[in-house]
Amino acid sequence: MNSKRKHLNIQSQGTGKKKEKREEEVGISDVINEEVVKNRVRETWRRKERYSHAGIEVDANPFPHCIIKDFIQSQSFLEGLQKELLDLNFHQKSNDLYKFKQSADLKKRKDSHISALRKVLFEQFRSWLSEIMQVELENTVDISCAKYEYTDVLLCHDDELEGRRVAFILYLVPPWDRSDGGTLDLYSTDEHCQPQQIVKSLLPSLNTLVFFEVSPVSFHQVSEVTSEGKRRLSVSGWFHGRSLERPPRYMEPAQPRTPHIPRDESLLYEWVNPQYMDLAYQAQVQEEFEESSEILLKDFLKADKFDMVCEALRKSDIVWKRRGPPNKRCYECAEEAALPECVSQCWELLASEAMFLLLSNFTGLKLHYLASGDDDEEDDDDDDDKEEKEEKTDETVAGSSDAAGNSIAGLEEKEAPGKTMGEWSAPVCRGELRRWRRGDYTIVHDTDVGNAEFALDLLLFLGCEDWQTEYGGFTSYIANGEDEELLTIYPENNSLALVYRDRETLKFVKHINHQSLERLRQNPDRQGFYDFSFVYYE
């Protein structure tokens, strides 16, 4: 998990003045203490090789991990442990990275089976781990209980946090099949220590303990639980020790930004709902936007244009490319060069010079030199007569304008005051056409340089009919370092969402879960939904 992400564990709940329960005795697998096995495991771990014997398996692919079956010797102890764990209070955990239920920290629980398990892990097993790995492990151990049910998931992360050295999971599940989901998936990594693809999936199994070394390449996930009738219960945590050295965090190349495409207002009149071309209505939109820094404009495109683009998206042979890495994002985007003509025209609309000016009118931002801005207002205070003169010139040269003086017409005739077009530092944008289906998501991460500046986000949704909130796929905005949502945008057909965010506001698209397949079963043509995602910079 990213080192800047909040710790998943929460403070333990007190047990009041209840009488302490008698601690149970628990024995763990004799196999791991056999001298021959212990030596082989230690040597295999050191050499990063593979070894399997009598219920214990060590493997270094894709990163060092070990599986121990029949970890607890007593079946009756397991049953008692399961009962105590299920009696705990669980807290719903949900954000960009995960959705599941978690108990409070178990370090101070007095329950007989829980305290016995904790003791054997903290003492006997920790000592064995130290010997195997040839590393000193501290007394500090994190331990809690997790409960995954239908559609719960923990997406790709590396578990790295200062002091964590070994992660462990003890499964307490009913008979489990791969069709139930909930596998522990291990990822390969590239030369930048970024996850690539799943190369190994471990199926949860009752009384099996898995541990692995926390490192810059220990990327893993808990795949979505797809069974409505089963509960994936586990005890998990971390043994602490000196962290492995981490290379500098890889910074992805920034996506290219481009100035507007020189297209005049005729493109707007061809594509945009006439309601939004009305200057008085634009002023009303701007007033609403300036109050909350966000707005949703419904039925933005003309109905015939919208239907034409949706039809092309469903039936055309568009080249879709999956975007990763999976610790940051997982969705498909279209290759711009091979889009059908009408889809390409819609892209051109959103990147056009006319659109930049229309967005300026909607938001009050200076996305075009014709748009008024703070500097203009200061100049206006100094010379009101000059403003009146320039407004009259605008009306004469560029056509009618709104109350802010922002003209939609005559874009090619007018230059910035005192500058030629070549000298003007034009606002820029970047855009994608994305396809969202089951399993897709984005995750907040601290290496996204695009989040470190003020920007206007635009989302235009297509193919969202019958999309339900519980499927996921909505866009959430949060404050940096917080999980509480500031704003949520749900997919809605032909709606244009505009959000102005600052440097401390982050966004993610919530994981699309198994429930979304119900929509597909009802209508095979509805393979998820689409959106144009553009970001504009002043």
Side-chain angles (χ1 to χ4, degrees):
M1 183 179 298
N2 191 289
S3 60
K4 292 192 177 182
R5 186 174 297 280
K6 284 187 171 182
H7 200 296
L8 281 178
N9 291 334
I10 59 179
Q11 295 297 315
S12 61
Q13 296 177 337
T15 54
K17 297 182 179 180
K18 293 181 180 180
K19 184 178 179 180
E20 293 188 9
K21 299 179 180 179
R22 178 182 61 84
E23 187 175 286
E24 293 283 338
E25 294 291 331
V26 56
I28 60 176
S29 173
D30 288 330
V31 175
I32 64 174
N33 287 319
E34 293 178 7
E35 202 61 33
V36 174
V37 174
K38 190 191 301 184
N39 291 337
R40 286 294 303 275
V41 170
R42 182 172 58 246
E43 189 65 15
T44 301
W45 192 274
R46 184 182 68 83
R47 294 188 177 190
K48 296 188 181 334
E49 297 176 343
R50 190 175 187 280
Y51 171 69
S52 180
H53 173 77
I56 184 168
E57 178 185 331
V58 181
D59 194 357
N61 182 38
F63 51 83
H65 62 278
C66 180
I67 304 165
I68 305 174
K69 296 181 179 179
D70 300 320
F71 182 73
I72 301 294
Q73 291 183 348
S74 169
Q75 179 64 32
S76 63
F77 180 88
L78 283 174
E79 293 171 359
L81 178 62
Q82 287 174 308
K83 185 177 185 306
E84 287 181 358
L85 292 172
L86 290 173
D87 284 340
L88 297 173
N89 291 323
F90 286 85
H91 305 267
Q92 181 69 54
K93 314 288 288 185
S94 182
N95 62 12
D96 58 318
L97 184 65
Y98 49 73
K99 183 178 85 74
F100 65 97
K101 294 181 177 67
Q102 186 184 44
S103 75
D105 197 307
L106 301 180
K107 280 202 283 274
K108 295 183 180 179
R109 295 293 306 192
K110 304 299 184 182
D111 314 73
S112 57
H113 295 81
I114 293 175
S115 58
L117 175 67
R118 184 177 62 234
K119 182 177 180 181
V120 78
L121 287 173
F122 286 19
E123 297 176 6
Q124 184 180 348
F125 187 65
R126 182 170 62 89
S127 175
W128 182 85
L129 271 180
S130 292
E131 188 175 349
I132 291 300
M133 299 178 63
Q134 297 292 284
V135 61
E136 184 178 349
L137 296 176
E138 301 168 2
N139 292 329
T140 303
V141 182
D142 299 318
I143 183 170
S144 64
C145 182
K147 183 166 60 174
Y148 289 76
E149 296 173 316
Y150 184 52
T151 73
D152 286 348
V153 68
L154 174 57
L155 300 174
C156 180
H157 64 291
D158 61 12
D159 261 9
E160 278 214 305
L161 197 67
E162 187 64 35
R164 290 178 181 174
R165 187 56 190 269
V166 182
F168 69 91
I169 312 102
L170 174 63
Y171 295 110
L172 300 163
V173 296
W176 205 269
D177 300 315
R178 292 202 175 272
S179 59
D180 298 323
T183 54
L184 178 63
D185 299 331
L186 312 184
Y187 287 83
S188 61
T189 50
D190 62 17
E191 68 275 14
H192 302 297
C193 296
Q194 295 292 287
Q196 290 180 301
Q197 59 188 6
I198 297 167
V199 296
K200 191 171 185 178
S201 290
L202 306 180
L203 190 67
S205 178
L206 177 63
N207 199 18
T208 294
L209 185 138
V210 176
F211 70 86
F212 59 85
E213 187 171 52
V214 176
S215 75
V217 299
S218 57
F219 285 100
H220 59 285
Q221 73 167 8
V222 176
S223 67
E224 182 187 359
V225 173
T226 55
S227 171
E228 296 189 60
K230 293 184 180 180
R231 178 190 298 117
R232 185 188 187 275
L233 190 71
S234 64
V235 174
S236 59
W238 297 272
F239 293 93
H240 286 244
R242 184 176 179 180
S243 299
L244 294 176
E245 184 178 348
R246 181 177 187 120
R249 286 191 178 273
Y250 175 65
M251 303 296 291
E252 292 180 283
Q255 287 185 273
R257 302 175 184 180
T258 59
H260 58 237
I261 300 172
R263 297 290 185 272
D264 64 22
E265 73 280 358
S266 62
L267 192 61
L268 296 179
Y269 287 109
E270 181 183 352
W271 279 82
V272 176
N273 184 334
Q275 174 184 9
Y276 296 111
M277 298 302 296
D278 180 78
L279 293 175
Y281 196 79
Q282 290 174 20
Q284 180 182 333
V285 169
Q286 183 179 135
E287 184 178 349
E288 293 180 19
F289 181 87
E290 288 178 340
E291 287 183 2
S292 59
S293 297
E294 56 92 9
I295 198 166
L296 186 69
L297 305 178
K298 298 187 177 184
D299 300 318
F300 182 73
L301 299 181
K302 290 182 176 179
D304 60 333
K305 292 292 188 182
F306 177 78
D307 292 341
M308 181 173 59
V309 173
C310 288
E311 186 73 6
L313 288 172
R314 283 194 296 264
K315 296 189 175 181
S316 299
D317 294 328
I318 297 175
V319 178
W320 296 97
K321 182 180 179 181
R322 183 152 294 278
R323 282 207 67 202
N327 64 321
K328 299 174 183 177
R329 64 189 72 85
C330 181
Y331 62 85
E332 293 175 312
C333 59
E335 294 283 357
E336 184 183 358
L339 292 175
E341 183 178 359
C342 67
V343 181
S344 182
Q345 288 175 354
C346 189
W347 186 306
E348 186 176 291
L349 166 73
L350 299 176
S352 69
E353 181 178 5
M355 188 68 183
F356 272 63
L357 185 53
L358 181 61
L359 291 175
S360 297
N361 288 357
F362 283 158
T363 64
L365 300 173
K366 195 169 180 62
L367 296 173
H368 193 279
Y369 61 80
L370 290 181
S372 63
D374 293 339
D375 293 340
D376 297 333
E377 292 174 3
E378 291 174 4
D379 292 340
D380 292 345
D381 292 337
D382 294 337
D383 194 346
D384 291 338
D385 292 337
K386 181 179 179 181
E387 176 193 32
E388 291 177 5
K389 183 177 180 181
E390 288 178 353
E391 283 182 349
K392 290 179 181 178
T393 304
D394 288 348
E395 291 175 3
T396 303
V397 178
S400 60
S401 61
D402 67 5
N406 302 343
S407 173
I408 294 296
L411 291 173
E412 296 179 356
E413 289 89 342
K414 183 171 174 60
E415 293 183 349
K419 296 184 181 182
T420 66
M421 284 292 291
E423 294 172 332
W424 187 259
S425 178
V428 293
C429 74
R430 56 181 173 89
E432 287 183 310
L433 171 57
R434 307 182 295 186
R435 179 166 68 176
W436 298 96
R437 297 192 287 184
R438 187 249 167 152
D440 290 346
Y441 59 85
T442 67
I443 297 175
V444 170
H445 55 97
D446 57 6
T447 57
D448 185 357
V449 293
N451 276 335
E453 50 193 312
F454 292 86
L456 176 69
D457 292 336
L458 176 150
L459 291 171
L460 176 61
F461 296 103
L462 308 100
C464 316
E465 53 268 62
D466 301 326
W467 191 264
Q468 304 296 318
T469 301
E470 58 265 28
Y471 299 164
F474 49 83
T475 300
S476 290
Y477 285 80
I478 60 174
N480 193 4
E482 302 292 335
D483 283 345
E484 184 176 353
E485 294 179 356
L486 303 173
L487 171 69
T488 304
I489 300 173
Y490 297 98
E492 184 177 342
N493 252 356
N494 200 11
S495 290
L496 186 83
L498 299 175
V499 180
Y500 187 62
R501 54 182 166 82
D502 60 23
R503 296 184 180 93
E504 294 301 313
T505 303
L506 308 176
K507 62 179 177 177
F508 66 90
V509 177
K510 186 65 174 177
H511 174 263
I512 298 176
N513 62 47
H514 187 262
Q515 294 180 84
S516 64
L517 297 180
E518 180 60 32
R519 175 175 179 260
L520 180 60
R521 283 190 287 267
Q522 294 175 1
N523 191 330
D525 286 338
R526 294 177 183 171
Q527 296 266 358
F529 69 90
Y530 310 85
D531 66 24
F532 280 98
S533 173
F534 273 69
V535 184
Y536 301 84
Y537 302 89
E538 290 183 285

